[in-house]
Amino acid sequence: MVKTREILIIITFFSLWLTNYFAAGSQSILAFSLLFSVGLIHGSNDLQLLNKTFFKTKRTTFFTQLGLYLLVVFTAFALFFWLPVVALTLFILVSGYHFGEQHWDEFFGRSVWNKMFYASYGLGILFLLFYLNPEDTTAVIEQLTAFAVPKDWFVYGLIGSGAVFGLLLIKYAYQQKIAPAKLAQELLLLVVFTILFYWASLVWAFTIYFIFWHSIPSIKEQVQYLYGKVTKKSVLKYLRGAVWVWLISMVGLLVFFKLMESGNQSFLTIFFSFLGAITFAHTVIISRMFDQQN
């Protein structure tokens, strides 16, 4: 585990170093290439996970499962256009919990306090990113919602989530639920994230965190859950199962963007609406996966 973290830290700083050699436009192209490939792939096996987590002991057809999944995705997607402020708020809350749960679940469990810990950690990461990139963050939010968010909100969000996370972390350390070495690693990691978010642009910083610290570890956990162990063969099986959903997602996103091209929606608006729509369903499925593993 330590070795993996050390490799990820090296990759993080290498990715940060690359920003010296890429203009902002090139960074965005590289960032979206990673988000469209690894980022979407990590959520493209949701149907197989849905079958195993919710319907393994129930007699339901593939099309019933697909219909339920698409209903959630399209409802969430529509929410970004009908009630964008509500949708974005839910997206941030759900994403924060999802990031924290994926990062910490193997060390704790499924109690209410632990879930609060996961949410506070993930929200702390997001608000740290927003706080260190206030101009770009407010611009993206205004594109999505037509609402100009006061920059002080990022401070309040960071202080609030950070305080809850810090208090629970102290509680767990006092109860010896987290080893001193692990505590030191996690605090060092927060320093690494702070450096990353401070020096990189909003999109590039989010991409590095999302791909290397969330998506790739999540793929590893999904492969372990679906196939029992992580091997070259099981990873390839996972990718074969995910690729057709990934292709459909890419085609759907492209078609929808073309349909909306004549309107006022920017590519960024459509992309984050699409990402948010998938995130709602994905978070429920992954959380159920963790429930069954504990």
Side-chain angles (χ1 to χ4, degrees), residues 89-118:
T89 301
L90 291 174
F91 175 49
I92 291 172
L93 292 173
V94 169
S95 296
Y97 175 79
H98 181 53
F99 290 159
E101 181 182 46
Q102 185 276 318
H103 189 89
W104 286 99
D105 182 79
E106 66 175 294
F107 298 102
F108 296 108
R110 313 303 295 165
S111 73
V112 173
W113 284 109
N114 292 338
K115 291 184 178 183
M116 189 181 298
F117 180 73
Y118 304 152

Side-chain angles (χ1 to χ4, degrees), residues 36 40 77 248-258 267 270-271 274:
F36 282 133
L40 285 184
F77 190 76
I248 292 172
S249 299
M250 290 296 295
V251 171
L253 182 60
L254 180 61
V255 169
F256 193 80
F257 178 70
K258 287 296 183 182
F267 171 77
I270 294 173
F271 173 74
F274 180 77

Side-chain angles (χ1 to χ4, degrees), residues 9-73:
I9 289 174
I10 291 171
I11 291 173
T12 298
F13 280 113
F14 175 74
S15 301
L16 189 57
W17 172 77
L18 283 179
T19 60
N20 296 316
Y21 299 92
F22 288 93
S26 299
Q27 288 180 36
S28 295
I29 292 173
L30 181 57
F32 280 107
S33 297
L34 287 169
L35 291 172
F36 282 133
S37 55
V38 181
L40 285 184
I41 282 288
H42 107 279
S44 294
N45 246 332
D46 280 355
L47 285 176
Q48 191 173 354
L49 290 168
L50 179 67
N51 180 58
K52 187 169 182 178
T53 55
F54 283 94
F55 299 111
K56 187 175 182 179
T57 59
K58 299 177 183 178
R59 299 181 64 181
T60 57
T61 66
F62 167 78
F63 291 104
T64 299
Q65 296 170 28
L66 177 62
L68 290 172
Y69 180 79
L70 291 178
L71 178 63
V72 174
V73 170

Side-chain angles (χ1 to χ4, degrees), residues 228-261:
K229 57 183 177 179
V230 180
T231 63
K232 182 179 178 180
K233 183 178 180 180
S234 62
V235 171
L236 288 175
K237 190 173 182 180
Y238 175 91
L239 293 176
R240 284 196 297 269
V243 69
W244 69 274
V245 176
W246 175 79
L247 286 171
I248 292 172
S249 299
M250 290 296 295
V251 171
L253 182 60
L254 180 61
V255 169
F256 193 80
F257 178 70
K258 287 296 183 182
L259 291 174
M260 302 294 289
E261 203 171 23

Side-chain angles (χ1 to χ4, degrees), residues 160-190:
S161 57
V164 174
F165 171 72
L167 289 172
L168 289 174
L169 190 64
I170 292 171
K171 174 180 181 288
Y172 292 145
Y174 178 76
Q175 295 174 340
Q176 298 184 337
K177 290 184 177 181
I178 179 169
K182 171 64 179 173
L183 178 61
Q185 291 170 24
E186 291 300 332
L187 294 176
L188 173 62
L189 197 53
L190 290 176

